[in-house]
Amino acid sequence: MSTAILTGPPVPGSPLEGDLRSLGFEIRTAADPRETAALLAAVPAGERVAVVDPRFVGHQHALRLALTDPRFAAGAAPGVLTAQPEARPSLTRALAALPAGEPLPADGAPAEGPATLPDALAAALEADGVTVHRPELGSLVAAVPAGPQARKETRDAVAAVDDEAVRLRSAVKSRDGFFTTFCISPYSRYLARWCARRGLTPNQVTTASLVTALIAAGCAATGTRGGFVAAGLLLLLSFVLDCTDGQLARYSLQYSTLGAWLDATFDRAKEYAYYAGLALGAARGGDDVWALALGAMVLQTCRHVVDFSFNEANHDAVGNTSPTAALSDRLDGVGWTVWVRRMIVLPIGERWAMIAVLTAVTTPRVVFYALLAGCAFAACYTTAGRVLRSLTRRASRTDRAARALADLADSGPLAEAAARATRRLARPIGGRTPYALVGAAVLLAAACAAPIGGPLVVLAALLYAVASGAAVARPLTGALDWLVPPVLRAAEYVTVLVLAARADAPGSLPAAFGLVAAVAYHHYDTVYRIRGGTGAPPAWLVRTLGGHEGRTLLVAVLAALLATGGGDGFTLALAALAGAVALVGLAESIRFWVSSGAPAVHDEGEPA
């Protein structure tokens, strides 16, 4: 239960108290700032407190947006203010600084300075360094009218706007893909409302989406036409539920740290589990497509790393403009180009729809061919555009951005040692990216062409560790240095893929699929921690997992020792490594995301 303190004379006939109670607030009243401060002190320190002017007139959803969003320490709208426990000390200081016992303005009295006590307190909190969230209300009404006539006009304005219709519209992301916007959201928002009215939580819907996708993967693994048709239908249902959980969170403002973790990771778990199901189903029909399944996972993960790395490098850059960005903005002004550009990057809605339809009517091999072709085109399109923006923009990268890129690099002990050794020698060559590119090229050339049982692949992996260390020896502030993390991801994942494909060991590709999936989870976890403002995973975890270069070297050594001769030693070693990475990484991730200090980060942008 939260507490709302009404500060001032009551207004007869006002629905305000009922609206606040329906939002979970216990009502208390105060006549002046001193009494408000006394009531505030009596509220338990761990509770949210709202200060509300009784003359407030507006929609209940405006109150919900301003007073109940758990993501922000403080929130405000005209005449209302809320403070979570972390912002309450500032609120107490702000009340103490007001003149003691000063009567609040009567209804119709002219206001001097801030119109209401909550407005004055919100300004004081901001002056004290507290970020006060002021939600975009759009057509919703939130006001403190100065007299009876103004109150009547404001109430008429409230009656003229359908609060529930606005709430349903705002439950949908403002920027989404074509398939999601026009084929899913028109009805999934009503499913979200149905879930809210029955007390379901977003986490429950998210879990239902995961279970549905896993059942779809199981159906695909049967290898029968009926199983493939059922898999396609269930995958679409899983996507509907995936949209519904976010819409339910926005509809009822049920954001949580656990929900952020589930939302951030389950999409990838669902998609990659479905790839594995398709590969198992194909194997039942005598077609080995594990290399294609692993290739699709590698390509999709590297696409995401490009997105994350570019965004982290530039989201707070100073002077963040370029002719390419200006052209993009002009194209956004032409309606049809917006949807074409969103569709050709193959976001999750279009991608899952394509996978579902092709699963039902074709074979797993065709599904993966289409997926690889579509994702490859999308990757080239988006990466080329971002390279052009980076080369033509005049921006100063911040220290935070450089630190985020270094964290995304996932450098282990070997790369750190190489970075210290080469810090004075490894001069920038148009930035740090060329070092990563050279190391990755040597590694992949050896993995593809050198004898798998000889020492060349191991030597190439050692050179890769030195080159990747040189890449991060200095801050990643160059125009194209955001490419370092995706280059390192591609080098590690593709090396595992190529060595497993070339190995003379049964089952090596499925084991490699499991290893890349476990490592990719660690990298996604790193991304979402950084986006939440808490920094990278702890250094001990990165070192324990070996860093990208340590894992790559270990796989190269295992391939040299075990990948020839027809035994299953290489397969067992890859599976054991996958299990160890998954166990350690997942345990630390769960500990972090369910802790009280983890951020409630929810993706509100266009899905990838």
Side-chain angles (χ1 to χ4, degrees):
M1 176 69 73
S2 303
T3 299
I5 303 174
L6 300 182
T7 58
V11 177
S14 171
L16 178 60
E17 292 192 21
D19 288 343
L20 289 170
R21 287 194 179 94
S22 69
L23 294 178
F25 285 95
E26 178 184 347
I27 308 298
R28 301 186 184 184
T29 59
D32 55 41
R34 173 184 291 176
E35 192 172 340
T36 301
L39 290 175
L40 175 64
V43 177
E47 286 189 11
R48 173 196 293 270
V49 174
V51 180
V52 182
D53 191 301
R55 297 170 297 166
F56 174 89
V57 176
H59 289 98
Q60 185 187 57
H61 193 51
L63 287 173
R64 181 182 289 107
L65 291 172
L67 300 182
T68 67
D69 197 323
R71 297 172 296 174
F72 307 102
V80 300
L81 169 72
T82 186
Q84 296 230 58
E86 57 266 35
R88 282 186 51 183
S90 291
L91 179 58
T92 300
R93 289 193 294 270
L95 279 168
L98 294 174
E102 179 178 324
L104 295 167
D107 190 23
E112 296 181 2
T116 69
L117 176 61
D119 295 340
L121 293 174
L125 259 63
E126 290 177 322
D128 198 31
V130 176
T131 300
V132 179
H133 172 64
R134 301 177 188 274
E136 292 289 339
L137 299 179
S139 59
L140 295 175
V141 177
V144 181
Q149 181 59 32
R151 178 175 294 110
K152 178 183 181 305
E153 292 173 355
T154 306
R155 286 176 174 170
D156 290 342
V158 171
V161 176
D162 186 344
D163 176 279
E164 181 62 17
V166 173
R167 189 179 177 190
L168 277 172
R169 285 198 303 272
S170 63
V172 178
K173 285 182 181 180
S174 59
R175 181 179 175 85
D176 223 328
F178 180 90
F179 180 77
T180 305
T181 299
F182 294 102
C183 300
I184 304 297
S185 292
Y187 57 87
S188 63
R189 69 183 75 182
Y190 295 101
L191 179 58
R193 181 173 66 180
W194 182 89
C195 293
R197 290 177 176 177
R198 281 151 184 82
L200 298 177
T201 68
N203 293 349
Q204 291 171 330
V205 178
T206 302
T207 303
S209 175
L210 174 66
V211 171
T212 304
L214 294 179
I215 296 173
C219 291
T222 63
T224 65
R225 178 52 52 194
F228 288 148
V229 172
L233 293 174
L234 287 171
L235 187 65
L236 288 177
L237 176 59
S238 175
F239 183 65
V240 171
L241 294 174
D242 181 61
C243 295
T244 301
D245 65 358
Q247 292 166 356
L248 174 58
R250 287 182 286 273
Y251 180 84
S252 55
L253 297 186
Q254 295 184 73
Y255 298 102
S256 68
T257 55
L258 179 60
W261 175 63
L262 296 177
D263 184 60
T265 57
F266 276 15
D267 279 352
R268 304 288 79 79
K270 289 180 286 189
E271 186 167 1
Y272 298 161
Y274 192 82
Y275 292 175
L278 284 175
L280 288 170
R284 286 180 176 271
D287 189 11
D288 186 354
V289 297
W290 276 107
L292 296 177
L294 180 51
M297 182 168 65
V298 168
L299 180 56
Q300 187 59 31
T301 303
C302 289
R303 278 187 63 199
H304 286 143
V305 176
V306 168
D307 294 341
F308 297 143
S309 187
F310 178 82
N311 291 335
E312 285 301 322
N314 295 288
H315 86 282
D316 58 354
V318 178
N320 195 11
T321 60
S322 74
T324 307
L327 174 61
S328 178
D329 291 339
R330 286 197 296 272
L331 289 175
D332 283 344
V334 182
W336 65 271
T337 66
V338 175
W339 295 115
V340 170
R341 293 167 66 213
R342 291 187 191 180
M343 291 173 67
I344 62 176
V345 299
L346 208 63
I348 188 170
E350 279 75 358
R351 191 167 67 250
W352 282 28
M354 180 186 74
I355 293 171
V357 171
L358 291 179
T359 299
V361 301
T362 64
T363 65
R365 181 172 291 273
V366 172
V367 173
F368 285 123
Y369 281 154
L371 188 60
L372 286 166
C375 288
F377 175 82
C380 292
Y381 170 79
T382 55
T383 305
R386 286 166 179 172
V387 168
L388 287 174
R389 290 190 183 205
S390 300
L391 291 175
T392 57
R393 81 190 336 150
R394 299 179 181 220
S396 177
R397 185 159 297 149
T398 64
D399 291 340
R400 178 202 176 278
R403 180 69 258 168
L405 292 179
D407 291 336
L408 287 173
D410 191 35
S411 299
L414 289 177
E416 290 177 349
R420 289 191 296 268
T422 61
R423 184 165 288 121
R424 293 186 178 181
L425 301 175
R427 302 295 180 184
I429 310 173
R432 317 303 303 182
T433 306
Y435 291 104
L437 286 171
V438 169
V442 171
L443 174 65
L444 294 178
C448 292
I452 195 171
L456 289 181
V457 178
V458 175
L459 292 175
L462 286 170
L463 178 61
Y464 166 73
V466 174
S468 61
V472 297
R474 298 281 185 178
L476 299 174
T477 56
L480 294 177
D481 282 355
W482 57 269
L483 283 170
V484 169
V487 168
L488 300 180
R489 292 296 79 74
E492 179 182 4
Y493 297 162
V494 176
T495 297
V496 174
L497 166 60
V498 171
L499 293 179
R502 295 185 63 198
D504 186 19
S508 59
L509 277 169
F513 187 97
L515 174 59
V516 172
V519 174
Y521 176 85
H522 165 61
H523 290 144
Y524 281 115
D525 185 56
T526 300
V527 165
Y528 281 96
R529 292 192 195 212
I530 293 172
R531 287 177 61 174
T534 61
W540 71 262
L541 176 65
V542 178
R543 294 191 180 102
T544 300
L545 297 181
H548 66 93
E549 80 292 348
R551 291 187 298 270
T552 304
L553 177 60
L554 178 57
V555 172
V557 171
L558 292 174
L561 296 176
L562 304 172
T564 58
D568 57 2
F570 186 53
T571 298
L572 294 175
L574 289 180
L577 180 58
V581 171
L583 179 63
V584 175
L586 190 59
E588 162 56 21
S589 177
I590 293 174
R591 182 210 63 78
F592 172 79
W593 285 102
V594 301
S595 69
S596 59
V601 179
H602 290 259
D603 179 18
E604 297 298 330
E606 183 176 348

